[in-house]
Amino acid sequence: QVQLVESGGGLVQPGGSLRLSCAASGSIASINAMGWYRQAPGKQRELVATIISGGNTNYADSVKGRFTISRDNTKNTVYLQMNSLKPEDTAVYYCYANIRAGSGWRHNNYWGQGTQVTVSS
């Protein structure tokens, strides 16, 4: 019922920029938080950035100062602006959202399908 669709991934050279987008659709009553995780081959999935309903943000130390997360509440969309990209940023990036669906009373976590980001010269 609730679906998260990501876009914006691709291949970029070190020092370049990408902007990821994730739009939530379906029967949505409210969105408490949205964010991004990433997973590189052979590594566990790690938090990249989150933004809660009040606007507070949280970033992994490895991306602070380079990545910016933002929301457009009118579109149920979260963005991740990635600047000064490094090869270490190469991973599959997964959008997530904590959503109360329909007339439900509990927020649940939903995940996008993932989008590949490759940083290579």
Side-chain angles (χ1 to χ4, degrees), residues 22-104:
C22 174
S25 62
S27 181
I28 298 173
S30 62
I31 300 178
N32 184 48
M34 302 186 78
W36 296 90
Y37 284 71
R38 67 186 182 186
Q39 187 168 23
K43 298 182 179 180
Q44 69 181 78
R45 188 173 298 187
E46 65 175 350
L47 174 71
V48 177
T50 59
I51 183 166
I52 63 174
S53 60
N56 290 335
T57 58
N58 189 29
Y59 296 92
D61 289 340
S62 59
V63 307
K64 286 181 179 177
R66 300 188 297 119
F67 292 10
T68 302
I69 189 170
S70 61
R71 289 178 65 174
D72 184 341
N73 292 328
T74 66
K75 299 179 180 179
N76 291 330
T77 299
V78 63
Y79 305 94
L80 185 68
Q81 179 67 46
M82 304 185 294
N83 298 325
S84 301
L85 283 162
K86 305 175 180 179
E88 307 92 271
D89 296 317
T90 297
V92 177
Y93 284 69
Y94 296 91
C95 175
Y96 90 92
N98 188 244
I99 295 174
R100 181 167 63 89
S103 59

